[in-house]
Amino acid sequence: MWKVVLDFALPPRCAGCAEIVEEVDGFCADCWLTLDWLGSGGCERCGIPLEATDAELCARCLAAPPPLDRMRAAVAYGPLSRVIALKLKYGRKVALARTMARYMAPLRGPSTKAIMVPVPLHRRRLWWRGFNQSGLVARHLGKRWDMPVDQHLLRRVRPTPPLKGMNEAQRRKAVSGAFAAIDGRRLSGQTVILIDDVLTSGSTAAACAKALRKAGAGRVELICWARVVRPGRLVR
Ligand SMILES: [Zn+2]
Ligand SMILES: [Zn+2]
């Protein structure tokens, strides 16, 4: 309750540097400029920036369509977007979930009837951390979109090692079969919008999409806060 009272009593602060700002869940001008906003454009399918081309799909998606029908991220993964994600995850700054949701909200695609599903944590990690950061973001986004969020439909059925330092093939192997969707009837033919904080190689999201499809989901999309934009993947 005190948190609520304080939120009203104190002036809003920048989510990046804590400087006093005009509105809640926003950034000051300096922090705003250091973030690379990605918007809804880019490759129609994976959202990777397509600079100075009028191509609709990137070369990668043309060669092999990814398991997700649509992927969008609010910002590119960089120093500040990383700190925001870490502060939410490990620093327990849960208000940042609301900030992320604010900037992820405009990225919704044409699917208006969908089930929102956060990328789940393994129950052991959930127990340690006490919350799923993607679940918090999904809850705020669900309110903004007026869309149902199901926190239990998708499960991480086995713990996965940290993917940091692994190449794409190793990541794929590490998360293969790690997810399972439990309610096939509810999913049948439905559009699912996966919610995540950070998208790196996409192997976790792909494994989630595979599990959802196996349980009958139709279209699977992903909206996340930050994504790694590899310069090598840019189509110029
Ligand atoms: Zn700032
Ligand atoms: Zn693409």
Side-chain angles (χ1 to χ4, degrees):
M1 194 192 87
W2 285 110
K3 174 80 183 68
V4 177
V5 175
L6 284 172
D7 268 357
F8 281 109
L10 296 172
R13 292 187 180 267
C14 168
C17 68
E19 187 184 305
I20 291 174
V21 286
E22 290 284 314
E23 40 169 29
V24 283
D25 302 326
F27 291 95
C28 72
D30 289 343
C31 288
W32 179 275
L33 284 174
T34 67
L35 288 162
D36 292 318
W37 300 95
L38 295 175
S40 278
C43 168
E44 214 161 71
R45 190 141 184 161
C46 74
I48 207 89
L50 296 172
E51 288 171 18
T53 80
D54 50 11
E56 280 173 7
L57 290 170
C58 72
R60 234 176 113 91
C61 290
L62 269 176
L68 286 115
D69 296 285
R70 185 176 183 272
M71 295 154 89
R72 292 295 184 275
V75 288
Y77 193 64
L80 182 55
S81 58
R82 175 175 173 270
V83 165
I84 303 274
L86 291 177
K87 272 193 194 165
L88 167 63
K89 203 154 138 186
Y90 302 113
R92 314 184 76 81
K93 301 268 186 224
V94 291
L96 288 174
R98 211 175 52 197
T99 309
M100 290 182 190
R102 175 189 173 179
Y103 294 103
M104 287 156 75
L107 305 176
R108 190 177 73 180
S111 311
T112 47
K113 263 196 81 184
I115 309 173
M116 297 169 66
V117 171
V119 169
L121 296 180
H122 185 253
R123 61 185 156 76
R124 209 150 52 205
R125 191 161 297 169
L126 183 65
W127 189 82
W128 276 109
R129 196 175 296 157
F131 64 94
N132 174 4
Q133 69 281 1
S134 302
L136 293 182
V137 176
R139 205 175 299 162
H140 288 294
L141 257 183
K143 270 187 221 153
R144 282 183 173 267
W145 289 348
D146 194 19
M147 205 181 256
V149 180
D150 196 316
Q151 306 268 359
H152 308 288
L153 215 151
L154 188 65
R155 289 210 180 142
R156 203 181 281 243
V157 289
R158 65 170 174 83
T160 44
L163 303 183
K164 212 175 165 188
M166 291 186 188
N167 66 30
E168 250 186 275
Q170 291 167 326
R171 283 167 185 259
R172 240 193 335 264
K173 200 173 158 213
V175 294
S176 165
F179 299 93
I182 50 160
D183 192 349
R185 239 179 339 178
R186 183 146 187 241
L187 271 173
S188 177
Q190 289 285 324
T191 295
V192 174
I193 304 181
L194 272 171
I195 305 298
D196 207 359
D197 51 353
V198 175
L199 178 77
T200 313
S201 69
S203 46
T204 300
C208 290
K210 219 169 141 189
L212 290 162
R213 284 242 168 73
K214 202 171 155 194
R219 198 178 152 83
V220 184
E221 305 181 4
L222 171 93
I223 305 279
C224 64
W225 158 246
R227 75 176 293 163
V228 172
V229 177
R230 290 190 195 157
R233 284 199 190 165
L234 292 178
V235 176
R236 288 179 188 279

